[in-house]
Amino acid sequence: MKKSYKIISILLAGSLLFSDCTTVSLAKGKRRYLREKDWPFCCMVAKDEYFYYGDDGEGYPLHSIYRTDFGLLGRNVKKVWASANLESVFVSTEKNEIREIDFSHRKKEGEICYLTSLVSRKREYIYSDSDGSCYFKNREGDVFYSGYSRCFSLWNHYSGEERERLDEECSKTEGKVVKHQKILSNVKKCWSGAGMFAYVQDNSLKITGCWTVEADVDCYERKRTAEIYFQGQGDSIREVVCTGRSFLSWSAPWCVFVLMKDGSVWGMGNNQCKMLDSEDQDFSDKFVKIISGGVKKIRAGGERVAVIKDDNSLWMWGRGLESQDAPCSFTPVKVADGVKDVSIGMRGAYMLLLKTNHAAYGVGEGDWNYVFTKKHTKKWYAKPVKLMENVKKVYTFGEGRGSLVLTRNNELYWTGNASFNWSWYEWMDGKKWRLPRLERKNLVKNRRKILKMTDVR
């Protein structure tokens, strides 16, 4: 009897040992799910779509999702908010609901093909000035703020005698979440860009955020909560756009352009790319008139400014379009006819055009992150190349460079790079990012392909 117990015990121990060995073997096999300890890796998640978890070539962590051709992002998309200077893409499929796309996690069902993070259910418009703060506006003209900090926004921190105390207060509040705090009333219009939030109130244009002449000072040193321009003319403003940072000086203040309802264009800021004047002046802290009339839309990014005139012709100035390193000029150059809209990518390196015949085109740098898909990867396109038909709107997004097209049947497609694998605004509904379930068997082994997609030199 004792012998039989020993035999059974040995067999059980052996089976457990065999089970452990099998588990270890599977863990090293191709079918197991990838983990953070597998860094770096590149994994195919769908046709023409890849997940990269590694570094940026200089040792800094990088989590990116790449598409080499246009793929469906969502159906029944009513509104899209995207900016070339920000990583996040916001969409609305239901009335008064705004969600951020989490490109890192694909879904098998639903209108949106990726997980989303709820940002707001009660506000109709969102204006994001950074990856850690945003503003919301409702129809009644109320503006609400949400973000990780209140620095560089509408709060006055300045006090010469209390500088040390305010410095300490700012340090303590940095990173603390503020959710949907009402900050303004009676606001007519709003616009946003990287580091800038602009709005019309009391018939004047007001600009806040990092974008001021004092852009390089600490938040507690700022003297005013908002700069005021065009007093008594706020209701005559049609659009306000911001270029974001330029190639030439990452730390310098950038440019803001205003389009008035009479078709005139005004600008202020840094003139090192000759976007404000043909002279060699460095900076203008007052708006100067650039075009006297005839303009109905304006866009800007990095080193380039674009306007669509009343006859639907597209004109640009700043860095030229002849080549990647073209000289800068204050003289507008005609780019194309029959243009309905344009979106300028990060630092002005590439552009998406929407023609009046509902076709989308690309201009500029096509060899970085497949912004024009794998069909158009030349280093530079001085002339527009056709990307898609039946398009309603075009958008560029992200510092890593991505392209969005919204079709006339409200389907949203994307290609390029969504640089960060966690949603910046996940704190809105309390979620935390996790590594998606990626199988080892789908690892991309072609190192050249990985380096081309990630732009690691």
Side-chain angles (χ1 to χ4, degrees):
M1 203 68 175
K2 289 183 179 180
K3 286 184 179 180
S4 61
Y5 280 132
K6 287 183 179 180
I7 293 171
I8 292 171
S9 299
I10 292 170
L11 289 174
L12 285 172
S15 64
L16 288 172
L17 178 62
F18 180 76
S19 175
D20 288 342
C21 292
T22 304
T23 303
V24 172
S25 177
L26 286 174
K28 293 181 179 179
K30 291 185 177 182
R31 292 192 62 82
R32 75 169 175 86
Y33 288 108
L34 295 163
R35 300 169 187 169
E36 289 194 13
K37 66 180 182 181
D38 294 305
W39 178 94
F41 63 79
C42 185
C43 186
M44 186 176 71
V45 295
K47 185 179 184 297
D48 297 320
E49 187 168 329
Y50 304 84
F51 182 98
Y52 175 74
Y53 181 36
D55 63 63
D56 64 351
E58 298 181 0
Y60 294 100
L62 180 67
H63 317 75
S64 297
I65 299 85
Y66 293 85
R67 281 207 61 86
T68 60
D69 205 347
F70 279 111
L72 183 66
L73 190 157
R75 305 175 182 85
N76 191 33
V77 176
K78 294 179 172 61
K79 292 180 182 178
V80 178
W81 295 269
S83 169
N85 294 301
L86 304 170
E87 300 303 333
S88 299
V89 174
F90 303 96
V91 298
S92 174
T93 56
E94 297 181 17
K95 188 177 180 181
N96 296 342
E97 182 176 279
I98 301 172
R99 290 184 170 275
E100 185 201 14
I101 303 296
D102 176 359
F103 288 91
S104 64
H105 288 75
R106 271 191 158 268
K107 287 173 58 179
K108 294 182 179 180
E109 299 177 354
E111 291 181 331
I112 304 297
C113 299
Y114 302 85
L115 291 183
T116 61
S117 179
L118 180 65
V119 176
S120 176
R121 274 203 174 100
K122 298 179 181 179
R123 283 71 178 176
E124 293 191 343
Y125 308 96
I126 183 171
Y127 305 92
S128 185
D129 70 332
S130 74
D131 292 317
S133 64
C134 51
Y135 302 82
F136 301 89
K137 179 181 174 296
N138 59 23
R139 287 187 176 182
E140 290 73 33
D142 299 320
V143 174
F144 302 81
Y145 174 82
S146 292
Y148 279 111
S149 173
R150 301 192 306 185
C151 291
F152 295 111
S153 187
L154 294 169
W155 288 266
N156 192 340
H157 294 274
Y158 181 84
S159 176
E161 297 178 355
E162 298 181 302
R163 173 170 175 168
E164 185 175 341
R165 182 181 65 80
L166 291 169
D167 183 12
E168 187 178 344
E169 283 186 11
C170 287
S171 299
K172 287 180 180 179
T173 59
E174 186 178 2
K176 287 194 175 181
V177 175
V178 179
K179 290 190 179 182
H180 296 296
Q181 180 175 342
K182 184 177 177 179
I183 55 174
L184 295 169
S185 299
N186 302 316
V187 173
K188 296 292 184 66
K189 295 180 179 179
C190 300
W191 303 270
S192 63
M196 180 206 79
F197 176 64
Y199 57 100
V200 172
Q201 185 188 55
D202 302 326
N203 202 21
S204 299
L205 174 65
K206 300 181 180 182
I207 301 176
T208 187
C210 291
W211 194 92
T212 65
V213 180
E214 306 168 286
D216 293 328
V217 305
D218 291 323
C219 65
Y220 56 83
E221 295 179 295
R222 299 187 69 217
K223 298 179 182 179
R224 291 174 290 275
T225 57
E227 303 285 346
I228 302 176
Y229 307 95
F230 295 100
Q231 293 188 32
Q233 304 177 66
D235 293 339
S236 300
I237 295 175
R238 180 177 291 174
E239 284 187 280
V240 180
V241 295
C242 171
T243 62
R245 302 295 189 183
S246 74
F247 280 117
L248 300 181
S249 179
W250 186 256
S251 63
W254 50 95
C255 292
V256 169
F257 296 91
V258 173
L259 172 62
M260 306 296 284
K261 290 180 180 178
D262 64 4
S264 62
V265 174
W266 302 69
M268 68 172 290
N270 197 312
N271 190 46
Q272 56 190 356
C273 291
K274 299 189 181 301
M275 291 186 285
L276 303 176
D277 198 296
S278 59
E279 303 299 324
D280 291 329
Q281 63 171 337
D282 294 328
F283 190 90
S284 174
D285 59 0
K286 296 180 180 179
F287 278 99
V288 295
K289 184 182 283 189
I290 298 173
I291 299 176
S292 58
V295 175
K296 63 179 181 179
K297 279 190 179 180
I298 186 168
R299 300 288 184 264
E303 301 175 326
R304 294 182 171 89
V305 193
V307 294
I308 299 176
K309 295 190 175 182
D310 292 336
D311 62 357
N312 294 323
S313 60
L314 174 66
W315 298 73
M316 298 186 70
W317 69 95
R319 183 72 63 187
L321 284 177
E322 314 91 76
S323 66
Q324 195 172 22
D325 303 314
C328 295
S329 173
F330 181 63
T331 304
V333 175
K334 188 176 181 179
V335 179
D337 287 310
V339 178
K340 185 178 181 181
D341 200 3
V342 58
S343 182
I344 302 182
M346 179 60 182
R347 304 187 194 177
Y350 72 104
M351 288 128 276
L352 299 180
L353 313 183
L354 176 61
K355 292 291 196 79
T356 52
N357 64 357
H358 308 294
Y361 289 76
V363 179
E365 194 173 58
D367 69 336
W368 191 357
N369 294 345
Y370 301 96
V371 289
F372 301 152
T373 75
K374 58 188 176 185
K375 300 172 186 176
H376 303 289
T377 55
K378 283 173 56 178
K379 188 173 183 179
W380 189 261
Y381 291 92
K383 301 292 183 182
V385 291
K386 192 173 183 179
L387 303 178
M388 189 181 290
E389 295 182 342
N390 195 37
V391 176
K392 181 192 294 185
K393 289 283 290 183
V394 292
Y395 312 85
T396 56
F397 74 94
E399 184 177 344
R401 304 187 185 187
S403 299
L404 293 163
V405 292
L406 181 64
T407 65
R408 298 173 73 190
N409 59 344
N410 297 322
E411 290 185 338
L412 187 62
Y413 291 82
W414 81 285
T415 186
N417 174 18
S419 284
F420 293 95
N421 59 348
W422 64 86
S423 296
W424 281 104
Y425 294 91
E426 280 184 333
W427 47 269
M428 289 288 192
D429 55 9
K431 294 181 180 178
K432 291 184 179 180
W433 185 86
R434 67 185 188 280
L435 192 69
R437 291 171 67 85
L438 304 168
E439 289 194 68
R440 186 179 176 86
K441 66 178 182 179
N442 293 325
L443 281 173
V444 177
K445 297 180 181 179
N446 188 334
R447 180 170 174 78
R448 289 185 179 180
K449 188 172 186 178
I450 295 173
L451 293 180
K452 180 176 176 60
M453 284 194 297
T454 58
D455 197 53
V456 175
R457 303 301 190 205

